[in-house]
Amino acid sequence: MAAAGRAQAARDRVPRIDPYGFERPEDFDYAAYEEFFSTYLVILTRRAIKWSKLLKGGGGVQRSMTVKRYIRKGVPLEHRARVWMGVSGAQAQMDRNPGYYQRLLQGERSASLEEAIRTGSHKCRVLRKTGSLCPLYTRSPPALAPPSAPCLYMSRTFPDNVRFRKDAEPCLQGPLYNVLLAYGCHNHGVGYCQGMNFIAGYLILVTKSEEEAFWLLDALVGRILPADYYSPSMLGLKTDQEVLGELVRLKLPAVAALMDGHGVLWTLVASRWFICLFVDVLPVETVLRVWDCLFSEGSKILFRVALTLLKHHQASILEATSVPDLCEKFKEITQGRFVTECHSFMQRIFSEPGSLSRASIARLRERCRARLLVQG
């Protein structure tokens, strides 16, 4: 009874909707979260004071060892948009191209692009295949909307977020559609790819600005992530999954042997990790802490996150005796206190995987990309 009472008391104290507009799930552990957040709030307060001093006087955020160290320890929500815009180069791009975002929205439109965004029907083969074969995620990939329901897909991007509902004021479905449309017009080689809606949605929630979200999306797709991540071939995405496999063979050979023994490809279990940059895979605040470093240090952070999840849960993964069992293990490793306690999780990603240099990742990418091209 005492435990039940504490759980109910925590449920009464912790808001049902988080600071980003997401409703907490029915099985949310309010007591565990309250215990974690009471400690994390002290860290956030301390970091906010340090960031306020660092950013005093306005101006852009420039890369430096101090900024890198601060980012690894966490960026307060009130400074996150400004920091991301500065360290990613998005602010500089926006300043050099005043009015460009508005011109994209006012210019000639592509009917096929608009249809793809409205229905989520473009280049979704990887996510549909993975979702149907292996239930790895908190929610299944959104079902495709019929052409007669142009806003249905937008509303299904984050069905548990009150700010994306039609009755929200303001409703973020429109801004999300605008950002995706503008980016598709800006980058014809990519257009729209399923997964970008999740990324753009998070960017809008953080920046509260369509234009800033657009330029951050441009920084991610155009510079931070490898080429062809969201192209029709998705070669960049496939390459990174191959790279993850190589890293696991090197650092976690027992896990690699288990995967090989069951004939499970990394595309089956890790596609969504990479294409959605862990959105809708890890808890919201943990994803944003990962993105702090993604914008600052580049895409190698994705491998650090993946390897940390695998290494920490290696013993559990190795208990799998079948493909469905293995799939369930991969679902479990993205849930629970280990990933919810984002501050300690971020400390782990810079220690558990060991050395992971930008140069070594570049060499692996080059080798894996060449192998995939040969395979056709």
Side-chain angles (χ1 to χ4, degrees):
M1 288 295 293
R6 286 195 298 271
Q8 184 57 51
R11 181 182 285 270
D12 293 339
R13 288 189 294 265
V14 176
R16 187 178 62 86
I17 297 172
D18 76 11
Y20 307 97
F22 290 97
E23 293 177 321
R24 304 193 194 278
E26 286 298 320
D27 60 351
F28 186 76
D29 190 336
Y30 285 86
Y33 179 80
E34 186 176 49
E35 180 184 347
F36 151 68
F37 194 75
S38 63
T39 303
Y40 189 46
L41 184 60
V42 176
I43 296 170
L44 286 176
T45 303
R46 186 166 64 244
R47 300 315 306 167
I49 293 170
K50 289 181 176 291
W51 273 104
S52 294
K53 291 179 180 178
L54 182 69
L55 300 176
K56 188 176 181 181
V61 180
Q62 303 296 324
R63 289 174 180 268
S64 69
M65 290 306 297
T66 298
V67 169
K68 178 180 177 180
R69 186 174 72 252
Y70 272 39
I71 286 174
R72 285 191 174 189
K73 293 180 180 180
V75 182
L77 177 57
E78 62 266 30
H79 298 307
R80 188 164 263 145
R82 181 179 169 189
V83 172
W84 286 4
M85 289 291 289
V87 298
S88 68
Q91 185 67 54
Q93 285 291 98
M94 188 171 77
D95 292 344
R96 283 195 291 267
N97 297 277
Y100 179 67
Y101 174 71
Q102 288 74 20
R103 290 195 297 274
L104 286 170
L105 292 178
Q106 294 164 5
E108 185 178 349
R109 297 189 175 189
S110 162
S112 61
L113 173 63
E114 291 192 84
E115 179 69 9
I117 296 170
R118 283 196 298 263
T119 65
S121 61
H122 189 44
K123 305 171 192 168
C124 57
R125 177 174 56 85
V126 173
L127 289 184
R128 279 214 310 269
K129 182 178 180 182
T130 359
S132 63
L133 290 178
C134 191
L136 299 181
Y137 320 116
T138 305
R139 297 193 295 272
S140 299
L144 302 184
S148 59
C151 294
L152 187 57
Y153 181 66
M154 290 293 100
S155 66
R156 288 183 178 180
T157 295
F158 294 122
D160 56 349
N161 192 297
V162 298
R163 299 176 191 174
F164 283 90
R165 292 177 182 164
K166 287 184 179 180
D167 58 355
E169 185 57 48
C171 172
L172 295 184
Q173 289 183 33
L176 175 58
Y177 179 83
N178 288 343
V179 170
L180 294 172
L181 179 64
Y183 191 77
C185 294
H186 166 69
N187 189 337
H188 296 284
V190 169
Y192 172 74
C193 176
Q194 194 178 52
M196 290 170 63
N197 54 319
F198 291 98
I199 296 167
Y202 264 47
L203 293 174
I204 290 169
L205 287 172
V206 169
T207 64
K208 301 179 176 64
S209 163
E210 285 185 32
E211 187 172 15
E212 290 185 0
F214 166 81
W215 286 111
L216 284 169
L217 184 62
D218 177 60
L220 280 170
V221 179
R223 297 187 299 280
I224 294 173
L225 296 172
D228 301 327
Y229 233 68
Y230 299 105
S231 70
S233 70
M234 289 186 168
L235 182 59
L237 174 70
K238 295 173 185 175
T239 297
D240 271 7
Q241 290 167 73
E242 291 289 312
V243 170
L244 176 60
E246 293 294 323
L247 290 170
V248 173
R249 290 182 198 283
L250 179 65
K251 296 176 178 290
L252 302 167
V255 173
L258 181 68
M259 295 283 285
D260 291 342
H262 287 292
V264 177
L265 301 176
W266 287 101
T267 51
L268 177 65
V269 296
S271 289
R272 195 171 178 86
W273 293 7
F274 287 87
I275 200 169
C276 292
L277 308 180
F278 291 100
V279 171
D280 221 30
V281 175
L282 296 177
V284 179
E285 186 61 34
T286 305
V287 173
L288 296 178
R289 287 290 302 269
V290 169
W291 282 21
D292 290 344
C293 297
L294 176 64
F295 282 114
S296 172
E297 301 183 44
S299 58
K300 72 175 184 178
I301 198 73
L302 302 177
F303 298 110
R304 286 197 169 277
V305 174
L307 289 170
T308 299
L309 289 170
L310 296 171
K311 184 174 182 180
H312 184 78
H313 295 283
Q314 180 175 203
S316 175
I317 293 170
L318 293 177
E319 293 173 355
T321 57
S322 65
V323 173
D325 195 17
L326 193 56
C327 288
E328 184 62 27
K329 295 293 185 184
F330 272 84
K331 179 182 177 181
E332 292 171 359
I333 69 175
T334 61
Q335 302 171 355
R337 295 188 67 158
F338 180 64
V339 293
T340 299
E341 297 181 358
C342 56
H343 193 67
S344 59
F345 179 76
M346 293 304 294
Q347 291 175 328
R348 293 289 192 97
I349 73 169
F350 291 108
S351 59
E352 289 205 3
S355 176
L356 206 64
S357 70
R358 193 185 300 265
S360 66
I361 294 297
R363 287 192 297 269
L364 278 173
R365 278 175 167 156
E366 184 178 354
R367 189 164 72 237
C368 291
R369 178 180 287 260
R371 185 167 66 229
L372 287 170
L373 288 171
V374 169
Q375 294 171 354

